[in-house]
């Protein structure tokens, strides 16, 4: 594919809810442009952007796809974003690489959760957008109902520029309100006809409403309009483009991706109305020394490009996707990672259409490209020139919300599993993994259950078979009161025996104090060289737990008496005696189980506040307050036992239809209620019994 000047490039991302038809629309656009010979179908698993085995199997997009095509001497870098909430990381990254978003909405299902989520992200980052009402050929489809819903949700920014001719099975054309022309489709072929009589009055009213909403963006045009001067189509189109760029207007187009109706009009809209990279505001960059400068989106500016996706395929290798915001990148130039202060060797630069590579001589300003086999460059990094190093601010990557423990099915596969997990973490920054030093489990974390399931399946493709395990909660044990006990080891079986007696008492310490050991031996009851052995035995029992196998905290042990034998006493004997005395004393003092408590912040639409607060109460939460965090949104702060929020990512999504979000952070430990303690102790005893078989 040839290189295009910046003003001839359009970077457009298709966003919306799962099932709205984004991938089908991408296929229709590629077919309409002549890029592919026939459109693929999601159901057949042969679409350009959904080529990953997980996407073919599940029939949903699970990662960001790139599909460039050419239209009327312009290059359109089309990005197909996942519509499932678990893969919001790719949605966020893709919207940072795009200059405009097309929110795809089903005329059957209306404005669903992820369409609203995409709108919220676009509002937050100031991304121009338009809406495409899809599936107008389907049963129960309604343009008017969907348009009313859009206006109710998003307000006066909504400006229809298309009007459908017919609906459901009778849908066969589109009226362009900007040109005041009607286009009809016969088996994918478009032809122009007069506007149908039954639509003429409505078309005229909507055209006037469109002109009125558009001229508001231009004072001189507004003045002429109020004075009754005719406004030319070219003037309206130019002002509409300006309004889109300023995010003051959101046009609504319509059609059917599977029937090819309105798809060519959408492609023309990309070229005529959406901003090019040259139209976007300069980016702020940080140069050496911390100073901030503005980078104009021109080829003459210093090179700045941001990595927005990394693909780590076990067969193809690592592919790094980047968007050039200023300057240009050629394959013969050295690549400098300004974020990590390192140089990388590069070979060919290319673009990707799905999984197919197309070599390019350079990736110019505003364009999107890819490089293979970069060793240390990761998503979010800035590519620059070493002579003029500068970094662009990366976006905030969402923290994973759902955790699962895994273990390799085959013994000895731990290193192989770790290597594969590292590759998956590089590919998807919203996926994390760690080895928990307390529970000794390998824990993987993702944005939800489906995200984690996909990652486990990708482990299989890296030839690592794993099993999932219940996630262990890092409980603690402590004591309620004070008590004393004596531990002893007396063993004689011919020859040298084992002999040790240790008496100690235990008492609780303030939370967070840990463990203290006091030597209170007088008169040489235990020789000095064996006192550290008693402490070592106490600490071993402390780590192993005395009630349910969890570490004991905030306890003081005082060694006050004991006995020894000049021949049979030994280090190991006093370790055993000390450990037994510590365990018996703790049990006599009364052991209580402590559970970890987290700080939970839940952000939800107002409508769900009551239900969420009720649900949190059922999870033994202590609600600390609520506050408004924007129009129609509330934030609830609470302290909740960690065990109660292990599956909260799944439960909150179910309760709010995917619109709720939350974050957790460790807080402190609290005593478990008796019923919870009994359950945990019983489960620990059962696991110990099974392990001994």
């Amino acid at each position: 594919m040839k290189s295009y000047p910046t003003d001839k490039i359009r970077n457009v991302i298709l966003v919306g809810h799962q099932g709205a038809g984004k991938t089908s629309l991408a296929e229709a656009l590629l077919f309409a442009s002549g890029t592919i010979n026939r459109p693929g179908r999601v159901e057949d698993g042969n679409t350009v952007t959904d080529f990953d085995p997980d996407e073919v199997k599940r029939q949903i997009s699970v990662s960001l796809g790139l599909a460039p095509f050419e239209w009327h001497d312009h290059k359109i870098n089309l990005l197909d974003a996942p519509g499932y909430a678990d893969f919001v990381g790719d949605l966020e990254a893709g919207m940072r690489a795009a200059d405009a978003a097309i929110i795809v909405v089903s005329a059957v299902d209306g404005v669903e959760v992820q369409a609203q989520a995409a709108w919220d992200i676009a509002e937050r980052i100031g991304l121009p957008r338009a809406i495409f009402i899809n599936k107008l050929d389907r049963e129960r489809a309604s343009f008017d109902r969907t348009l009313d819903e859009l206006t109710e949700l998003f307000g006066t920014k909504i400006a229809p520029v298309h009007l459908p001719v017919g609906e459901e099975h009778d849908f066969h054309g589109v009226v362009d309100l900007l040109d005041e022309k009607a286009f009809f489709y016969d088996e994918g072929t478009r032809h122009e006809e007069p506007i149908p009589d039954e639509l003429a009055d409505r078309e005229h009213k909507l055209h006037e409403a469109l002109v009125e909403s558009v001229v508001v963006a231009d004072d001189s045009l507004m003045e002429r309009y109020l004075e009754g001067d005719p406004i030319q189509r070219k003037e309206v189109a130019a002002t509409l483009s300006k309004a889109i760029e300023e995010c003051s207007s959101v046009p609504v187009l319509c059609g059917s991706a599977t029937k090819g109706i309105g798809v060519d009009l959408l492609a023309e809209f990309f070229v005529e109305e959406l901003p090019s990279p040259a139209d976007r505001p300069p980016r702020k960059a940080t140069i050496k020394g911390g100073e901030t400068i503005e980078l104009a989106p021109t080829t003459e500016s210093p090179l700045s490009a941001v990595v927005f996706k990394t693909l780590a395929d076990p067969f193809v290798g690592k592919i790094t996707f980047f968007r050039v915001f200023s300057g240009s990148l050629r394959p013969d130039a050295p690549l400098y990672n300004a974020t990590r202060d390192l140089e990388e060797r590069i070979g060919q630069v290319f673009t990707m259409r799905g999984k197919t590579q197309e070599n390019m001589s350079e990736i110019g300003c505003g364009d999107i490209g890819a490089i293979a086999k970069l060793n240390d460059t990761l998503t979010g990094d800035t590519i620059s020139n070493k002579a003029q190093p500068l970094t662009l601010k990366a976006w905030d990557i969402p923290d994973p919300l759902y955790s699962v423990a895994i273990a390799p099915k085959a013994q000895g596969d731990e290193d192989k599993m770790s290597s594969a997990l590292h590759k998956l973490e590089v590919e998807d920054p919203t996926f994390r993994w760690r080895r928990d030093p307390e529970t000794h489990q390998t824990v993987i974390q993702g944005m939800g259950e489906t995200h984690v399931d996909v990652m486990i399946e990708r482990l299989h493709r890296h030839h690592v078979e794993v099993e999932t395990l219940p996630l262990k909660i890092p409980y603690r044990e402590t004591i309620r009161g004070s008590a004393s006990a004596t531990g002893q080891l007396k063993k004689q079986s011919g020859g040298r025996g084992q002999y040790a007696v240790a008496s100690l008492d235990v008492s609780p310490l303030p939370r967070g104090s840990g463990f203290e050991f006091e030597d209170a031996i007088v008169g040489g009851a235990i020789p000095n060289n064996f006192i550290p052995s008693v402490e070592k035995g106490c600490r071993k029992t402390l780590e192993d737990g005395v009630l349910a196998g969890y570490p004991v905290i905030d306890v003081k042990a005082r060694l006050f008496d004991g006995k020894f034998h000049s021949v049979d006493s030994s280090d190991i004997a006093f370790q055993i005696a000390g450990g037994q005395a510590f365990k018996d004393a703790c049990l006599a003092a009364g052991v209580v189980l402590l559970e970890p408590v987290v700080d939970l912040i839940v952000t939800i639409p107002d409508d769900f506040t009551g239900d969420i607060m009720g649900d949190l109460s059922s999870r033994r939460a202590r609600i600390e307050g609520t506050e408004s965090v924007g129009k129609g949104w509330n934030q609830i702060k609470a302290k909740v036992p960690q065990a109660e929020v292990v599956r909260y990512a799944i439960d909150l999504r179910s309760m709010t239809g995917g619109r709720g979000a939350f974050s957790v952070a460790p807080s402190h430990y609290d005593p478990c209620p008796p019923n919870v303690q009994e359950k945990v102790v019983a489960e620990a005893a059962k696991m110990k019994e099974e392990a001994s078989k």
Side-chain angles (χ1 to χ4, degrees):
M1 179 175 281
K2 69 177 185 178
S3 297
Y4 281 79
T6 307
D7 63 341
K8 297 291 186 181
I9 294 172
R10 301 291 184 272
N11 297 310
V12 183
I13 184 168
L14 302 179
V15 299
H17 198 80
Q18 172 198 349
K22 298 181 299 300
T23 300
S24 297
L25 182 57
E27 288 293 302
L29 286 163
L30 292 172
F31 177 67
S33 67
T35 307
I36 56 176
N37 295 324
R38 58 186 295 251
R41 298 174 72 246
V42 172
E43 297 81 1
D44 296 336
N46 60 353
T47 62
V48 171
T49 55
D50 281 2
F51 58 87
D52 186 281
D54 297 306
E55 295 174 318
V56 174
K57 175 184 175 181
R58 298 170 184 272
Q59 296 186 6
I60 62 170
S61 299
V62 302
S63 62
L64 187 68
L66 173 63
F69 65 92
E70 295 167 300
W71 188 273
H72 295 178
D73 202 30
H74 286 69
K75 180 184 181 183
I76 316 294
N77 284 314
L78 193 67
L79 294 160
D80 180 18
Y84 201 82
D86 279 20
F87 307 103
V88 67
D90 267 21
L91 171 64
E92 291 258 12
M95 292 180 85
R96 295 324 194 279
D99 296 306
I102 300 296
I103 302 175
V104 183
V105 176
S106 166
V108 178
D109 301 310
V111 187
E112 296 179 275
V113 173
Q114 285 307 110
Q116 297 180 55
W119 176 283
D120 291 340
I121 295 171
E123 281 279 277
R124 188 173 76 240
I125 66 176
L127 185 68
R129 75 215 77 134
I131 295 169
F132 185 79
I133 298 178
N134 192 23
K135 299 188 176 183
L136 277 164
D137 60 313
R138 304 292 178 89
E139 192 174 338
R140 295 184 296 105
S142 172
F143 176 84
D144 291 340
R145 183 184 67 236
T146 308
L147 183 61
D148 289 344
E149 193 175 349
L150 287 166
T151 304
E152 182 181 346
L153 285 168
F154 305 134
T156 56
K157 287 184 179 183
I158 299 299
V161 297
H162 281 178
L163 189 63
V165 181
E167 273 185 355
E168 298 185 347
H169 300 300
D170 294 329
F171 175 59
H172 62 285
V174 172
V175 175
D176 188 325
L177 298 174
L178 199 60
D179 287 326
E180 293 195 278
K181 294 179 180 179
F183 300 99
F184 295 83
Y185 293 79
D186 183 13
E187 295 185 359
T189 303
R190 185 182 90 180
H191 58 277
E192 184 182 338
E193 291 186 17
I195 296 172
D197 292 340
E198 65 272 16
L199 292 176
D201 288 344
R202 187 181 182 202
E203 186 281 329
H204 182 70
K205 290 178 182 177
L206 287 174
H207 173 78
E208 287 301 312
L210 174 63
V211 172
E212 187 173 328
S213 66
V214 167
V215 297
V216 173
D218 188 300
D219 292 340
S220 62
L221 212 60
M222 182 67 176
E223 187 176 335
R224 284 175 48 202
Y225 176 78
L226 293 174
E227 290 174 355
D229 286 352
I231 308 298
Q232 301 301 315
R233 188 266 181 205
K234 185 180 290 187
E235 294 176 301
V236 176
T239 309
L240 176 61
S241 181
K242 179 184 176 185
I244 294 170
E245 185 184 338
E246 295 173 350
C247 299
S248 61
S249 183
V250 180
V252 178
L253 301 87
C254 67
S256 166
T258 54
K259 297 286 186 182
I261 300 175
V263 173
D264 53 345
L265 295 177
L266 179 64
E268 290 170 10
F269 178 82
F270 290 169
V271 169
E272 294 175 4
E273 300 296 339
L274 293 184
S276 74
D279 299 320
R280 301 290 286 142
R283 300 275 296 193
K284 290 184 177 180
T286 303
I287 62 175
K288 202 168 184 178
E291 183 185 347
T292 300
I293 63 169
E294 287 192 344
L295 286 172
T298 65
T299 305
E300 292 73 28
S301 297
L303 171 64
S304 68
V306 171
V307 176
F308 65 90
K309 179 175 174 62
T310 304
L311 180 66
D313 189 278
F315 306 106
V316 178
K318 184 178 173 184
I319 297 177
T320 301
F321 293 76
F322 59 91
R323 155 74 191 270
V324 178
F325 286 97
S326 63
S328 63
L329 192 148
R330 291 183 175 85
D332 55 347
L335 184 146
Y336 178 67
N337 184 327
T339 304
R340 303 181 187 277
D341 188 22
L342 55 87
E343 288 188 76
E344 294 258 35
R345 295 180 62 185
I346 65 172
Q348 186 57 256
V349 294
F350 48 89
T351 187
M352 297 285 292
R353 183 175 294 113
K355 61 182 177 181
T356 304
Q357 298 182 14
E358 290 193 24
N359 290 339
M360 297 186 68
S361 59
E362 72 172 314
I363 309 297
C365 179
D367 211 348
I368 290 174
I371 304 173
K373 299 179 181 178
L374 294 184
N375 293 323
D376 302 306
T377 298
L378 303 177
T379 300
D381 289 355
T382 299
I383 296 171
S384 181
N385 287 323
K386 191 171 185 180
Q388 294 176 289
L390 48 86
T391 56
L392 300 177
K393 186 179 183 300
W395 61 96
D396 293 328
I397 295 171
D399 290 324
L401 303 171
Y402 179 67
S403 302
V404 170
I406 60 169
K409 288 183 178 179
Q411 285 188 343
D413 269 3
E414 287 81 5
D415 290 343
K416 193 176 176 183
M417 182 179 73
S418 297
S419 176
L421 287 171
H422 176 69
K423 291 177 182 177
L424 295 182
E425 192 174 41
V426 167
E427 182 178 15
D428 185 350
T430 61
F431 173 77
R432 317 260 173 88
W433 73 281
R434 59 187 167 84
R435 180 69 181 172
D436 194 313
E438 295 185 16
T439 63
H440 308 294
Q441 289 184 315
T442 298
V443 179
I444 60 174
Q445 298 175 290
M447 300 306 296
E449 193 170 26
T450 302
H451 188 197
V452 167
D453 288 346
V454 165
M455 289 303 178
I456 290 174
E457 290 183 15
R458 288 182 178 175
L459 280 175
H460 297 170
R461 296 209 297 275
H462 285 274
H463 310 293
V464 179
E465 297 293 325
V466 300
E467 58 182 347
T468 58
L469 305 169
L471 194 67
K472 293 180 181 178
I473 303 298
Y475 292 101
R476 296 285 187 270
E477 299 175 11
T478 192
I479 57 175
R480 293 190 181 92
S482 301
S484 60
T486 297
Q488 58 183 356
L489 179 64
K490 297 179 180 179
K491 187 177 180 182
Q492 191 70 43
S493 56
R496 182 175 177 178
Q498 295 286 352
Y499 183 90
V501 177
S503 299
L504 53 80
D505 54 33
V506 295
S507 57
L509 292 174
R511 194 74 68 241
S513 300
F515 174 68
E516 290 183 15
F517 181 83
E518 180 185 349
D519 171 15
I521 292 293
V522 293
I526 298 176
N528 288 336
N529 60 309
F530 289 136
I531 291 174
S533 303
V534 176
E535 181 179 358
K536 190 174 181 180
C538 290
R539 289 189 179 276
K540 177 66 170 62
T541 304
L542 187 100
E543 294 172 4
D544 294 341
V546 298
L547 182 67
Y550 296 100
V552 180
I553 62 172
D554 304 332
V555 174
K556 178 180 179 180
R558 187 178 71 93
L559 178 63
F560 62 86
D561 199 5
K563 295 179 182 179
F564 76 102
H565 188 278
S566 58
V567 176
D568 292 342
S569 289
S570 65
D571 169 65
I572 189 66
F574 272 101
Q575 282 189 45
I576 294 171
Q580 186 61 54
F582 182 77
K583 181 176 182 179
D584 291 347
C586 286
L587 290 172
V591 180
V592 61
L593 203 64
L594 300 175
E595 62 182 352
V597 176
V598 297
D599 286 317
L600 177 71
I601 301 176
V602 189
T603 306
I604 48 169
D606 287 342
D607 297 346
F608 296 100
T609 302
D611 291 341
I612 298 304
M613 290 183 72
D615 175 73
L616 288 175
S617 296
S618 72
R619 297 173 187 269
R620 301 187 284 122
R622 295 197 301 274
I623 295 176
E624 298 183 321
T626 63
E627 62 177 318
S628 175
V629 288
K631 185 179 179 181
W633 290 83
N634 270 347
Q635 200 170 76
I636 303 172
K637 295 182 179 179
K639 291 191 184 297
V640 194
Q642 183 181 334
E644 299 287 349
V645 292
V646 169
R647 292 178 57 85
Y648 197 60
I650 300 168
D651 298 339
L652 182 65
R653 183 170 299 157
S654 175
M655 289 183 288
T656 63
R659 299 187 67 193
F662 73 97
S663 64
V664 294
S667 177
H668 64 283
Y669 277 83
D670 270 349
C672 285
N675 62 317
V676 174
Q677 177 164 322
E678 289 175 11
K679 181 180 178 182
V680 174
V681 171
E683 288 176 353
K686 182 180 177 181
M687 290 178 64
K688 187 175 181 180
E689 182 182 345
E690 290 175 351
S692 64
K693 290 181 180 179

